[in-house]
Amino acid sequence: VCQPRVPKQFHLGMFEIGRPLGKGKFGRVYLARERSSGFICALKVLHKNELQSGGVERQVRREIEIQSNLRHPNVLQMFGHFHDNKRVFLILEFAGKGELYKHLRRESRFPEWRAAQYIAQMASALRYLHRKHVIHRDIKPENILVGIHGELKISDFGWSVHAPNNRRKTMCGTLDYLPPEMIKPGSSENYYTEKVDLWSLGVLTYEFLVGEAPFEDTPVMTQRRIARADMSVPSFVSSEAGDLIKRLLVLDPEKRISLDQVQVHPWILKHCVKGERASNRERGY
Ligand SMILES: Cc1nn(C)cc1-c1nc2c(-c3cnn(Cc4ccccc4)c3)c(Cl)cnc2[nH]1
């Protein structure tokens, strides 16, 4: 795959800005074309004053530092970044089919074969991240994009960290995906590892198949149900899929099924075209 000759210094004048693609809590994303090469990308524009008032500058620096060094077909690539006096610009891979959560809301839930292929791709991406000691910590449909060939791309590394990590973090946004070890009030030795992403993968599998998160409830009840792994799998979900969900949504992080085991779980093997997995394996992912 030929990659564009990547100059070290980027600036706004190098890009033609297209339509807005979406907006997040901090900033907007626009379709953009780099003038000299015609390369299409997504330009995320963050306003420095909003980052300062939101106290998230360190998070953005970490997002840049982590995502710029990642190369995997199921991880949204960051080609570079630059800033002017008011804004920070992230040059991101353009995902041709947009935000996954919009597809999930439109279809309410995915057929098992599609959910299994998506989870296999997520497991491949997480295995790559964890090998580089990166914990994403915010795996949920809102942070996953869909490429032009229907492949998933994990994005938004704003909450990712380098493992091991025992600093407590104030989390914002939905509680639904948080693992018990990150919500249980505990003393300082309460640390977490890459296994937090396995719990979130279990929540994601459930939401793909059921159309809602397993612990969805009022905030207080959600925290209580997560802390007890109190959830039930509806009868319309196959027993193989239910088995994988139950092996991921395990309170003890060390007892959660590993990503290698996820990729050879009967439910995954049943739905994933061998060639596709083999092709990823050939490329060493
Ligand atoms: C929307 C949409 N429709 N189609 C057909 C393609 C897309 C598309 N969107 C993207 C997007 C994209 C857009 N919004 N967001 C969410 C967001 C925005 C700002 C801050 C944080 C998070 C991501 C990206 Cl990054 C990268 N590629 C994208 N592609």
Side-chain angles (χ1 to χ4, degrees):
V1 175
C2 72
Q3 291 293 338
R5 189 190 58 74
V6 182
K8 279 293 160 227
Q9 290 305 320
F10 294 98
H11 59 84
L12 193 52
M14 297 168 75
F15 298 92
E16 282 172 280
I17 308 300
R19 74 175 181 92
L21 291 172
K23 61 182 184 304
K25 192 169 179 197
F26 296 100
R28 292 171 177 274
V29 173
Y30 297 87
L31 191 60
R33 178 173 38 212
E34 201 275 323
R35 293 183 197 280
S36 62
S37 61
F39 189 75
I40 296 293
C41 60
L43 201 61
K44 191 185 231 180
V45 185
L46 304 164
H47 291 269
K48 287 182 181 176
N49 59 353
E50 287 176 15
L51 298 181
Q52 274 142 18
S53 51
V56 291
E57 304 108 295
R58 261 166 36 91
Q59 214 173 295
V60 172
R61 267 186 251 279
R62 199 166 43 218
E63 179 178 1
I64 292 172
E65 188 240 321
I66 287 178
Q67 203 168 350
S68 303
N69 293 297
L70 299 174
R71 291 283 294 277
H72 186 280
N74 302 117
V75 173
L76 194 79
Q77 200 169 335
M78 184 182 292
F79 300 112
H81 64 284
F82 56 94
H83 64 95
D84 62 18
N85 56 354
K86 285 196 180 343
R87 298 163 293 184
V88 177
F89 300 87
L90 309 182
I91 308 165
L92 297 166
E93 175 183 0
F94 170 64
K97 288 190 175 164
E99 297 179 88
L100 178 68
Y101 85 90
K102 291 182 181 170
H103 295 268
L104 183 53
R105 296 292 170 265
R106 193 181 316 129
E107 302 180 39
S108 25
R109 53 194 170 95
F110 296 136
E112 296 222 355
W113 63 269
R114 173 149 352 127
Q117 290 186 6
Y118 281 168
I119 295 302
Q121 291 171 34
M122 292 299 293
S124 173
L126 286 174
R127 217 169 57 150
Y128 169 78
L129 292 181
H130 292 179
R131 265 205 232 115
K132 294 176 82 88
H133 301 296
V134 172
I135 313 175
H136 189 279
R137 293 197 320 168
D138 202 11
I139 297 295
K140 56 186 177 186
E142 290 77 359
N143 289 340
I144 301 170
L145 293 161
V146 187
I148 197 67
H149 303 297
E151 74 280 19
L152 295 194
K153 304 230 176 219
I154 298 182
S155 69
D156 209 331
F157 284 75
W159 283 104
S160 57
V161 287
H162 277 108
N165 182 284
N166 56 9
R167 283 196 306 279
R168 294 189 62 70
K169 285 279 169 316
T170 50
M171 299 295 279
C172 63
T174 173
L175 293 167
D176 281 322
Y177 277 74
L178 287 184
E181 65 269 27
M182 282 181 79
I183 57 165
K184 221 176 260 169
S187 52
S188 62
E189 87 276 354
N190 180 6
Y191 75 98
Y192 48 82
T193 66
E194 290 91 347
K195 301 281 189 182
V196 299
D197 288 336
L198 282 165
W199 175 277
S200 303
L201 188 65
V203 178
L204 193 71
T205 308
Y206 184 101
E207 184 160 0
F208 282 174
L209 293 169
V210 180
E212 60 187 35
F215 307 106
E216 213 161 289
D217 210 315
T218 63
V220 168
M221 277 311 292
T222 296
Q223 289 199 48
R224 197 174 297 172
R225 294 182 59 201
I226 290 172
R228 297 174 181 157
D230 162 22
M231 62 100 199
S232 60
V233 179
S235 54
F236 62 78
V237 175
S238 70
S239 53
E240 297 97 335
D243 179 76
L244 177 58
I245 291 169
K246 287 173 194 145
R247 291 178 190 277
L248 287 165
L249 296 183
V250 173
L251 285 179
D252 179 349
E254 293 312 309
K255 294 203 170 69
R256 288 170 202 157
I257 187 175
S258 73
L259 289 166
D260 292 344
Q261 292 165 315
V262 170
Q263 294 204 312
V264 293
H265 186 278
W267 183 61
I268 298 292
L269 293 180
K270 179 174 164 183
H271 292 291
C272 286
V273 176
K274 215 141 188 59
E276 180 187 311
R277 277 186 316 104
S279 67
N280 265 359
R281 224 186 357 256
E282 269 153 35
R283 287 206 295 268
Y285 292 123

